Amino acid sequence: NPHFLYNTLDTIVWLAQQKENQAVVDITMALTQFFRISLSGGSDYITVGQELSHVESYLKIQAVRYESIMQYRIDVEASLAPCPILKLLLQPLVENALHHGIQNQAGKGMITITGKREGGRILFEVRDTGAGMASERLEQVRKSMNQEEGYSQVSFGLRNVYSRLMLYYDGEAGLEIESVQGRGTVIKVYIPVT
């Protein structure tokens, strides 16, 4: 997303003009880490630890820009760190939580990313305390996830994650959405442990 890059560079310039040297270093390092993992040598798979580092880099950058409205927490079982995962599964969901949840509410919101092993699979949850969705909208989103058409009903990032899960994990992965208007949204992603 070029807007993310432009906005981050604008933030770095603003911090430099304010002589916030440590903040400039921190956000520049987060941006470097973000792109290093995004590219990851062209590989489709990375480790859970790398995916979480990618998400945290994204959130560190956004926390500077949205410090008055956003908090975040990552709580993933440490034993999952070396497990392979399709790259860029969680960051688009976190981005949706910020842009469609937290930004559309009054006051400060929380984004929480959790992960744990459940039997032969890993379950991740991306939860926000944002605006949530009306039941009709939630139903539209759920229906359009399983259709080839319907991109207008689902954000590109969400549809992309769902499609990649189906393609790369041969039907053994999934994505579920729960939401209550005014109370937030939870997106659950489960993948097989390999």
Side-chain angles (χ1 to χ4, degrees):
N1 184 343
H3 296 294
F4 171 69
L5 177 59
Y6 302 148
N7 291 337
T8 303
L9 293 174
D10 284 344
T11 301
I12 291 170
V13 169
W14 179 82
L15 289 168
Q17 289 171 337
Q18 300 301 313
K19 301 192 184 326
E20 297 284 341
N21 295 341
Q22 189 57 52
V24 169
V25 170
D26 293 344
I27 199 170
T28 302
M29 293 304 296
L31 185 63
T32 301
Q33 182 70 6
F34 178 85
F35 281 113
R36 181 175 288 124
I37 293 172
S38 292
L39 299 174
S40 62
S43 176
D44 290 330
Y45 292 90
I46 58 177
T47 67
V48 168
Q50 289 171 310
E51 180 75 2
L52 293 175
S53 179
H54 185 253
V55 167
E56 188 158 24
S57 295
Y58 174 80
L59 285 167
K60 282 180 181 177
I61 292 165
Q62 297 296 39
V64 173
R65 295 187 60 225
Y66 297 106
E67 71 177 324
S68 64
I69 64 165
M70 184 195 82
Q71 295 175 299
Y72 71 90
R73 183 172 60 90
I74 299 174
D75 184 17
V76 175
E77 290 178 1
S79 64
L80 298 178
C83 296
I85 184 175
L86 185 63
K87 76 176 177 183
L88 301 176
L89 282 186
L90 299 177
Q91 184 272 328
L93 305 179
V94 171
E95 186 172 345
N96 274 359
L98 174 60
H99 293 297
H100 298 292
I102 301 300
Q103 282 186 316
N104 292 328
Q105 70 164 12
K108 201 166 206 171
M110 172 70 84
I111 298 172
T112 305
I113 300 101
T114 59
K116 62 183 177 180
R117 189 181 302 254
E118 278 192 353
R121 66 185 191 175
I122 300 171
L123 172 64
F124 293 103
E125 287 187 2
V126 176
R127 178 181 302 267
D128 70 71
T129 60
M133 288 182 260
S135 57
E136 300 81 26
R137 174 68 178 146
L138 178 60
E139 194 55 35
Q140 285 178 331
V141 170
R142 285 176 175 160
K143 283 182 181 178
S144 62
M145 292 295 295
N146 296 310
Q147 299 171 357
E148 288 300 317
E149 297 178 17
Y151 283 87
S152 64
Q153 300 297 323
V154 177
S155 78
F156 177 75
L158 187 59
R159 177 65 188 180
N160 185 311
V161 168
Y162 179 79
S163 297
R164 291 172 61 238
L165 281 169
M166 297 302 103
L167 178 67
Y168 282 84
Y169 288 106
D170 198 28
E172 293 184 39
L175 187 147
E176 299 172 2
I177 305 169
E178 300 169 6
S179 188
V180 177
Q181 191 166 18
R183 295 179 59 195
T185 300
V186 179
I187 299 180
K188 298 178 181 181
V189 176
Y190 53 91
I191 62 170
V193 175
T194 55

